[in-house]
Amino acid sequence: MTEETSSGGLDRRSFLVLGAAATGGAVLATGVAEAGEERKKKPAKPANPFSMGVASGDPTSTSVILWTRLAPKPLELDGGMGKRGNQEVAYEIATDAKFSKVVQKGVVDAPAEYGHSVHLDAQGLTPNTEYFYRFKYGKFVTEAARTHTAPEVGQSVDSFVFGQTSCANWQSGYYQLYDDLAAQEPDYWLALGDYIYEYGNYNPKTEEGYVRSDGKALRPIPWGLEPVTLAEYRRQYGLYRSDASLQKLHRTAPYSVIWDDHEVDNNFTAGKSGGDGQADRIEFAKRRAAGFQAFYENHAIRIPAPGQMPSKMDIYRRVDWGSLASFLLLDGRQYRTDQAGDDTPQDFGKLADGMFAADGTILGADQEAWLAAEFKDAPGTWTFIAQQVVMSHINGSAAFDDPSILELTAKGLFNYDAWDGYWNARTRLINSIKAGQVRNPIVLTGDFHTNLAFDLLDAWPDPRDAKTPAEMSAAVKNWKGNIIGTEICAGAISSPTFFGEGLLGTVAPGVLKNTPWIRYAEWFNNGYVLNTVTPQELKATYRVAMTNFKANTPKGKPRSETTLVIKDGVPGISSPLKQ
Ligand SMILES: [Fe+2]
C-alpha cells in the first residue's frame, strides 16, 4: 500500500498531491469532482483532516512506520470522510525540522477500507538517526514530527531513554503525564495497553457507561454506549487521539503499542467479552474483530494489514535497540483462557481452582513457543518483556497483620485477571526465561494503575498449601525465593488508582509491608516510568501526579517520586529499599 519515490524524484501522483498542497487550491488531492460537488452543497471551510495527529512506531535500524489518519470530523462515525473512496497523502522525511534536507518524499495510500489510515513503512534510513516527517493532504500540512531509528545490533550505544505508559481513561483524568513524557524527549516509548477505554459516557437512563464514585466523569464522552462496531471504535480513537498532549508525545518520539482488554472490552478473553454489565449488542466475535481492526488503523504498528474484520490479528513482535535492549512485545489478551471465578468485572476474589487449571494460558501455545525462541535469540543486554498484567504474585492475605479479617472473603484476595489467575502458565513462562538464559530479564507491566516494582522470583508460595489466611500470610512473609529478574509496573496515565481511596486503599500498605518481593509501591498517584538504559545499569524513574487534577495544581503537577537502580548481571532491584 506504500508507494515511494527515489530521493528527490517525483512521480505523477506526488506531483498532483504536492501541487495541490502548494497552491492550496484543492480541498482534496484526489477525487476533485467529488470534492467539487461537495463544495456546492457545503460551502463551509474544510476541517483539518489531520485532527488525530501523526505518529511513528516500531523502529528498526533502517525503517520506521509513519502513521496518520484522515478524519476531519473525528467525533463522527465516518470521521467526516463520508463515502469518499481511497485517498492519497503526500509525505516528506528530512533530517532537520525545517525540512531543508529532505531525504525521502512521495505519496502513500490512505485506503477507505482502513478508515483512511496511513501506514508508511519508511525504509532505507540510517541507523541510530533522528528524522523529521510530515504529511500533506490538500492544503493541510502536519506539524513537523520527530522520530528516530534504532541502532544496528553491534553498534555501541552509551544510553537510551524510553517511557513506559498504560491505562489512559479519557473520562477520569487529564493527560499531563503524556505532556511530561514528551518534555523528557525520550528516544522511544511503550504503550502497554488501555491506550483507549471502550467506555461510553454514563447514561443514567440505561445505567450504561463509565461513572466515578461521585457520579460524574471528569471529561465526558459525547456518546453513552460502548463501541461495538468498527465505526464506533474508530470514533473512540478519534476522541482519544484528538488530545493535544497525546499528539505532542507522538510528535516527539517513536513508540510501540500492545493492546490490553479495554481496546475491545473490559477483561475479555479468547472466547468472550468481560461481561461488564452492558448487554451485548452484537456477537462478541464480531465486536472483537471491530476492535482489532480499529487498533490497527489507529496505530503506527509494524504488522501486515489485516484482513477486514479479522477474527485474529497477531501483534506480538520484537523491537531491538542495538545490542543494548530487546523488547519482546506480548499479547496477553486474545489467546487467553477465561479467568477463574465468576465472570468479570470481578477482578479480585478468593482462592479458586480455576487459577490452577492445567490448560490455563495467557499467551497461547504459539506465542509461548515464539517467546521461548526469542529468549534465546534476543541480542539485547537488557531483555524487556513488555506485557499487560502483573506477573509477580500478590497475595491479599499478607495485607493484614491480623489476617483473620480475610475469613470474610474466604481465603485471600487474588487478581484473577493477572498472572496470579494463570498459575501454571506463569510457571511455564518463568521456566522459559530460565531455559533461555536470558540476561537481565525485565518484565514491564501496565494494567494495575499502581506504581510498583518487584524482584521477579522463580517461584512463589502456593496458597493451596495453607489451611487458613494466617498460614498463607506467614508463608508470604517468610518466603525466600530466587530472584531472577525485575518487574516494573507503571501507574496509570489517567485511570483511577485502585488503592488510593476506599477499602482497597487499606489493603495496599499491608501488602507492601508484608510481601518481601515487592520493593516499591506508590498507590495514590497516577504515573508512568522513565527508563534510562546503559550497558551497566537500568534506572527506572517513577514520574507521578494525580491526573484528576490539572497540571497547574499542586496535586496535578508531575514530579519524580523515586528512581530504582537495576545493575547488569544482578537480578532484582539494587536500590532503594522499600518506601
Ligand atoms: Fe487499565
Side-chain angles (χ1 to χ4, degrees), residues 167 194 197 262 447 449:
C167 298
D194 295 354
Y197 278 67
H262 290 289
D447 177 64
H449 303 192

